[in-house]
């Protein structure tokens, strides 16, 4: 769409300027994917050439209070001729949000055109640079530990055949801490998850539920300060043991 600006009356009646912008939507909104182009047409109606016409364009970020982009251009116009110029501001990383675009055209010290207006530039959602693929919930290890090489191989083979890239799994608090204050990873569990990682399978690890050692039922979530502290200790312990192995929690 096109947003047009009308040149104000100038003391230099022999020269006039018209400005239009492309890449700007209704409400003066533009996006990251669009180039804003400032088109400036200056006409000389005199019977002689005019030298040293100066065009200045400045983009200011109103939130940051800083200049995003500025450009100055000087050119000549022959008698009874027109000069058509196009400029593409470079917004960079600071060129988002509420901006002010200021345009000035002068013949020496005489102002031919002065105007500014608000421009809102929004970011486009960036495309994901990876594919989430498929995920399965592998939860039988919660209560019946089978952290063996054979189990890992079964999962890996099935995942590779079906295209599954993520496994949702976990070890409950009650399995890790069976004696109050003593936390132990079940035998073979760390190597089990390491095998999955080495095969390219990402593990989303669940840290879950309560522990009767600290009161309440096994299926209850921590709801007292003491239970939450003990649960946090369980989480910290598992994260340390599986550091660099588990994809996320």
């Amino acid at each position: 769409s096109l947003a047009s600006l009308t040149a104000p009356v100038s003391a230099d009646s022999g020269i006039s300027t018209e400005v239009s912008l492309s890449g700007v939507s209704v409400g003066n909104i533009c996006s990251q994917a669009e180039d804003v182009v400032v088109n400036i047409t200056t006409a000389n109606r005199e019977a002689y050439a005019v030298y040293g016409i100066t065009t200045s364009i400045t983009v200011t970020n109103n939130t940051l209070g800083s200049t995003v982009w500025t450009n100055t251009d000087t050119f000549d116009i022959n008698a009874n001729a027109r000069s058509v110029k196009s400029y593409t501001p470079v917004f960079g990383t600071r060129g988002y949000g509420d901006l002010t675009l200021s345009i000035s055209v002068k013949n020496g010290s005489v102002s031919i055109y002065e105007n500014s207006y608000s421009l809102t530039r929004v970011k486009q959602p960036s495309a994901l640079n990876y594919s989430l693929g498929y995920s399965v919930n592998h939860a039988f290890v919660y209560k019946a530990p089978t952290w063996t090489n054979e189990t890992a191989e079964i999962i890996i083979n099935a995942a590779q055949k079906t295209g599954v890239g993520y496994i949702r799994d976990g070890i409950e608090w009650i399995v890790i801490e069976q004696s109050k204050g003593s936390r132990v990873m079940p035998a073979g569990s760390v190597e089990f998850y390491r095998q999955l990682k080495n095969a390219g399978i990402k593990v989303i690890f669940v840290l879950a539920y309560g522990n009767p050692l600290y009161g309440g039922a096994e299926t209850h979530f921590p709801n007292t300060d003491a239970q939450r502290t003990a649960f946090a200790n369980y989480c910290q312990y598992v994260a340390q043991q599986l550091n660099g192995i588990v994809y996320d929690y």
Side-chain angles (χ1 to χ4, degrees):
S1 61
L2 195 64
S4 297
L5 304 177
T6 303
V9 177
S10 169
D12 192 340
S13 58
I15 304 175
S16 62
T17 295
E18 293 181 356
V19 174
S20 66
L21 281 79
S22 58
V24 180
S25 304
V26 175
N28 290 346
I29 297 176
C30 61
S31 75
Q32 181 181 8
E34 297 173 308
D35 286 332
V36 175
V37 180
V38 181
N39 306 296
I40 301 178
T41 301
T42 303
N44 177 20
R45 295 185 297 275
E46 302 289 359
Y48 51 83
V50 177
Y51 302 97
I53 300 292
T54 301
T55 297
S56 298
I57 305 173
T58 302
V59 178
T60 304
N61 187 312
N62 299 324
T63 303
L64 299 177
S66 61
T67 299
V68 173
W69 183 81
T70 185
N71 182 80
T72 301
D73 186 21
T74 301
F75 54 93
D76 305 326
I77 309 178
N78 292 329
N80 297 310
R82 291 156 57 94
S83 169
V84 181
K85 299 276 188 176
S86 294
Y87 307 90
T88 303
V90 178
F91 292 98
T93 57
R94 295 175 298 157
Y96 299 104
D98 294 327
L99 311 174
T100 296
L101 184 91
S102 302
I103 303 171
S104 170
V105 181
K106 291 185 177 182
N107 178 14
S109 60
V110 178
S111 176
I112 302 172
Y113 182 94
E114 296 281 347
N115 211 341
S116 64
Y117 66 99
S118 297
L119 180 70
T120 301
R121 186 164 181 262
V122 296
K123 288 187 177 182
Q124 292 288 99
S126 58
L128 294 176
N129 59 5
Y130 60 90
S131 174
L132 289 178
Y134 297 94
S135 172
V136 295
N137 181 22
H138 169 250
F140 67 87
V141 299
Y142 274 45
K143 299 280 182 60
T146 52
W147 295 286
T148 65
N149 292 337
E150 291 75 18
T151 303
E153 290 174 2
I154 292 172
I155 295 173
I156 292 169
N157 290 334
Q160 291 174 343
K161 289 179 180 179
T162 58
V164 168
Y166 290 75
I167 294 293
R168 178 185 181 271
D169 196 20
I171 307 175
E172 291 182 13
W173 180 12
I174 193 173
V175 176
I176 296 289
E177 189 173 354
Q178 299 184 20
S179 175
K180 197 169 186 177
S182 177
R183 290 168 287 275
V184 179
M185 294 293 290
S189 59
V190 175
E191 181 57 30
F192 173 84
Y193 293 118
R194 183 177 286 111
Q195 282 185 261
L196 296 182
K197 179 192 174 185
N198 292 341
I201 297 174
K202 296 180 174 64
V203 176
I204 308 298
F205 198 93
V206 180
L207 296 160
Y209 306 124
N211 192 322
L213 293 173
Y214 294 90
E218 174 188 338
T219 56
H220 289 179
F221 293 102
N223 54 24
T224 68
D225 287 344
Q227 290 172 353
R228 283 189 284 267
T229 297
F231 182 82
N233 291 335
Y234 146 70
C235 295
Q236 183 182 38
Y237 171 79
V238 173
Q240 290 171 343
Q241 298 301 309
L242 297 178
N243 182 39
I245 300 174
V246 165
Y247 178 72
D248 209 347
Y249 291 90

